[in-house]
Amino acid sequence: MSGTATLTVPGVPVGTHTVTAANLVSLGYGITSITCTDSRATVDIATAAATIVLTGGETVICTFVAIEARAATSRMIADFLGARGTFLLANQPGSGRRTARFSSTKIGSTASGSLAGFGLSGSIPLPVQVAFSGDILSFSSAMGWGTQPGVKADDDTAPVFDLDRRTLWVEGTIAGFDDRQSDGSFGVVYAGADQLVTPDILVGALVQYDWFRQNADNGGEVTGTGWMAGPYATFRLDDVLFADVRAAWGRSSNDVSLNGQYTDSFDTTRWLASGALIGDFQDGAWSIRPTVSLAYLSETQESFTNTLNVAIPGQTVSQGEVSAGPQIGYVFELPSGDVLSPSVSFNGAYVFGDDGLFSDGSLAKEVSGLRGRTGAGLDYRMPGGTSLAISGNFDGIGTNASIYGGSLKLSIPLN
């Protein structure tokens, strides 16, 4: 709500007078500024009062500026929580490393990793893989330790599993976004440890740290950092089918500036649960990895009183996403020994939750409902280790949101 009102008081006696604005805090309004044309006037925004000194024949005009802070702040926070939730649901830890643990090939630590970006790459003396493409920076690392497993003396055909081997791992993502009314950035880092407790069950625990910034086009800003921690487990249902589950709980600390004139702080509590069925099929040179997943995130903002003494009520923003789709690849072994591996993927996603809390044009509102994601990639590898990979994707099929992505990576061994 916006508007102006004027009140004229004629015939005021000479002397000192105090003008006080009506208290509209209970209605969600707060005074943000007071100015008077008399240079001798003093103002106090906290009490919404102006003190003026009138002389004979003088006219003084005082202007009180008030804004509706309660509903506007609540909506801005809801958009922020919805956008952050969208990124948290879409950037959970990858499942490929966990399903690979069930392979008979032992997973151990590696002494080197790779760094790729801007069309250049090379090896680094750390067990970390880092890649930069467009607005997204991602990295991952895994390291195992434990006793070396063996096979039974009378059974040299039994597969070898890492039942005594535990793995420490870390991975993260940094991304940016731009919607119809704001832009910003997001980042999350995961770290955890897991162990195969049976040949068919992997259990572990992880902790995550995330940060998010949203800048509104009208000058407002919301920023926040948070953490969550909890267990996860992966089950091998048969040779080609896996079930993956995860739960996490945590908190966040955030700052909100409605119009850039003042900043308030608020806290949230949150929890997340997710599950997926993952297939891993090989047929000669063909590979297909279909996945069906369900994830749900609920975040509760605690109530607080802002700088204008307006009470901002608490609220809960909940979101869920159901997604399904395959990734299909094929390996061509060329006569020269080079390997060419094209792949395509498509995912259908349905996002549901408290979209009624979000502003039109906000990121969370734009991605609500049904949408599609598709991608394609091509990987060319030489026997000496040099590789060239190109991939692209399109997101937002069936919605008003259009998200494009692409990457080009060249990897040349430097050692």
Side-chain angles (χ1 to χ4, degrees), residues 309-323:
N309 206 34
V310 175
I312 308 300
Q315 60 181 325
T316 297
V317 175
S318 300
Q319 297 165 270
E321 180 182 281
V322 179
S323 65

Side-chain angles (χ1 to χ4, degrees), residues 93-153:
S95 61
R97 184 197 63 83
R98 296 192 295 278
T99 57
R101 289 292 305 276
F102 295 94
S103 171
S104 60
T105 301
K106 294 184 281 293
I107 300 175
S109 62
T110 178
S112 63
S114 63
L115 176 65
F118 307 104
L120 299 172
S121 70
S123 62
I124 55 178
L126 295 172
V128 179
Q129 292 73 45
V130 183
F132 176 78
S133 172
D135 290 333
I136 297 178
L137 170 70
S138 62
F139 67 91
S140 64
S141 178
M143 180 172 61
W145 81 94
T147 59
Q148 290 295 326
V151 297
K152 297 180 181 179

Side-chain angles (χ1 to χ4, degrees), residues 14-265:
V14 172
T16 301
H17 303 274
T18 299
V19 181
T20 303
N23 190 339
L24 302 177
V25 168
S26 62
L27 300 179
Y29 288 81
I31 301 294
T32 60
S33 69
I34 305 173
T35 58
C36 295
T37 57
D38 183 5
S39 61
R40 296 168 298 175
T42 59
V43 301
D44 187 349
I45 295 178
T47 60
T51 300
I52 59 178
V53 181
L54 283 178
T55 60
E58 182 182 18
T59 297
V60 176
I61 300 175
C62 290
T63 303
F64 293 74
V65 178
I67 63 171
E68 196 293 309
R70 178 175 297 148
T73 301
S74 293
R75 179 59 63 91
M76 192 173 184
I77 291 175
D79 288 342
F80 170 80
L81 297 181
R84 181 166 66 183
T86 298
F87 279 101
L88 289 173
L89 291 174
N91 292 278
Q92 296 193 66
S95 61
R97 184 197 63 83
R98 296 192 295 278
T99 57
R101 289 292 305 276
F102 295 94
S103 171
S104 60
T105 301
K106 294 184 281 293
I107 300 175
S109 62
T110 178
S112 63
S114 63
L115 176 65
F118 307 104
L120 299 172
S121 70
S123 62
I124 55 178
L126 295 172
V128 179
Q129 292 73 45
V130 183
F132 176 78
S133 172
D135 290 333
I136 297 178
L137 170 70
S138 62
F139 67 91
S140 64
S141 178
M143 180 172 61
W145 81 94
T147 59
Q148 290 295 326
V151 297
K152 297 180 181 179
D154 59 349
D155 186 5
D156 57 4
T157 63
V160 180
F161 296 100
D162 294 330
L163 296 182
D164 294 323
R165 184 176 296 275
R166 294 159 294 278
T167 298
L168 289 175
W169 58 272
V170 60
E171 65 178 74
T173 299
I174 297 176
F177 76 96
D178 190 359
D179 58 36
R180 287 193 293 164
Q181 63 181 26
S182 64
D183 59 59
S185 59
F186 165 83
V188 61
V189 175
Y190 295 95
D194 52 45
Q195 178 178 357
L196 280 167
V197 295
T198 77
D200 297 317
I201 300 176
L202 175 75
V203 297
L206 65 81
V207 62
Q208 71 179 70
Y209 177 81
D210 58 86
W211 60 96
F212 190 60
R213 176 183 58 85
Q214 180 171 284
N215 297 109
D217 295 340
N218 63 4
E221 182 183 58
V222 193
T223 62
T225 60
W227 62 271
M228 285 196 288
Y232 62 88
T234 304
F235 305 88
R236 186 173 67 165
L237 305 180
D238 60 32
D239 290 341
V240 296
L241 184 62
F242 303 87
D244 193 59
V245 294
R246 177 194 168 208
W249 301 263
R251 296 183 60 86
S252 76
S253 299
N254 313 273
D255 295 318
V256 55
S257 176
L258 183 60
N259 54 12
Q261 296 181 353
Y262 64 92
T263 300
D264 296 303
S265 299

